[in-house]
Amino acid sequence: MQIKIITIGVYGFDEPSFFEALIKAEVDTFCDIRSRRGVRGSTYAFANSKRLQARLAELGIRYVYRKDLAPTQAVRERQAAADKATKTAKRKRTELGKEFIEAYHTECLAEFEPQSLLEELESDAKVVALFCVETAPEACHRSLVADKLAKTLNLEVEDILP
């Protein structure tokens, strides 16, 4: 059976609906691609690494952390500059800036071999969630990772939104 990739962010979900979405999508492997595995505020505390991993384990969902797929500080600064120029709040962003996309491709995706991710997964993995925080996949680097996986390995991608 072919692996399916889903993408999901935390913003816009509450704790029950976030985990319900993972269950409904039949996610068996959760791939965290954040640089910092914490989210500020009590609303999203469930997405902080230790709590998140504990809840995923309770649900029988494997957790994988791929820091190599997280944007570097320099890459994030490119997006921050673009957001500042357009006066867009981070949580209101609907798309990534051209400079961020170019820098992310150069600094992160150029060295990423999609097959390496598949080799890290358990042999029975069927539905893998790429996770970061932004609501809209187009406003998050997870869409760039998903695109590379889809194109390189001919995998189906589905975005889960709140």
Side-chain angles (χ1 to χ4, degrees):
M1 179 176 198
Q2 178 109 3
I3 290 176
K4 178 180 177 180
I5 301 295
I6 66 130
T7 78
I8 190 168
V10 72
Y11 294 149
F13 283 100
D14 60 15
E15 184 172 359
S17 65
F18 180 81
F19 292 107
E20 286 170 19
L22 295 176
I23 293 165
K24 184 177 178 185
E26 300 180 349
V27 170
D28 54 57
T29 306
F30 188 92
C31 186
D32 192 339
I33 59 173
R34 300 176 290 172
S35 177
R36 293 173 281 214
R37 295 186 287 168
V39 183
R40 291 189 178 123
S42 61
T43 303
Y44 298 110
F46 69 89
N48 291 333
S49 183
K50 290 186 192 250
R51 286 182 61 180
L52 177 63
Q53 289 182 61
R55 183 67 179 121
L56 291 170
E58 289 172 6
L59 296 172
I61 299 172
R62 290 179 290 267
Y63 176 88
V64 175
Y65 180 51
R66 288 294 299 255
K67 188 172 184 174
D68 62 312
L69 295 175
T72 63
Q73 181 64 34
V75 173
R76 286 195 311 272
E77 287 171 3
R78 300 260 180 114
Q79 187 60 52
D83 290 344
K84 186 176 182 180
T86 61
K87 297 180 180 167
T88 303
K90 182 179 179 178
R91 289 192 190 184
K92 301 290 184 187
R93 182 185 326 123
T94 57
E95 63 184 10
L96 292 168
K98 180 181 172 207
E99 295 83 6
F100 176 94
I101 293 170
E102 289 172 359
Y104 186 76
H105 275 280
T106 300
E107 293 187 29
C108 299
L109 288 183
E111 298 297 318
F112 170 57
E113 177 51 52
Q115 189 64 36
S116 72
L117 177 61
L118 295 188
E119 290 167 0
E120 187 174 340
L121 304 177
E122 297 292 329
S123 61
D124 63 343
K126 294 182 178 92
V127 182
V128 178
L130 294 177
F131 171 69
C132 197
V133 295
E134 285 80 6
T135 303
E138 302 82 12
C140 182
H141 72 288
R142 71 181 185 268
S143 65
L144 304 176
V145 176
D147 187 58
K148 183 160 184 170
L149 288 166
K151 288 179 178 172
T152 306
L153 301 173
N154 195 33
L155 299 179
E156 178 186 352
V157 175
E158 177 185 340
D159 300 310
I160 296 180
L161 301 170

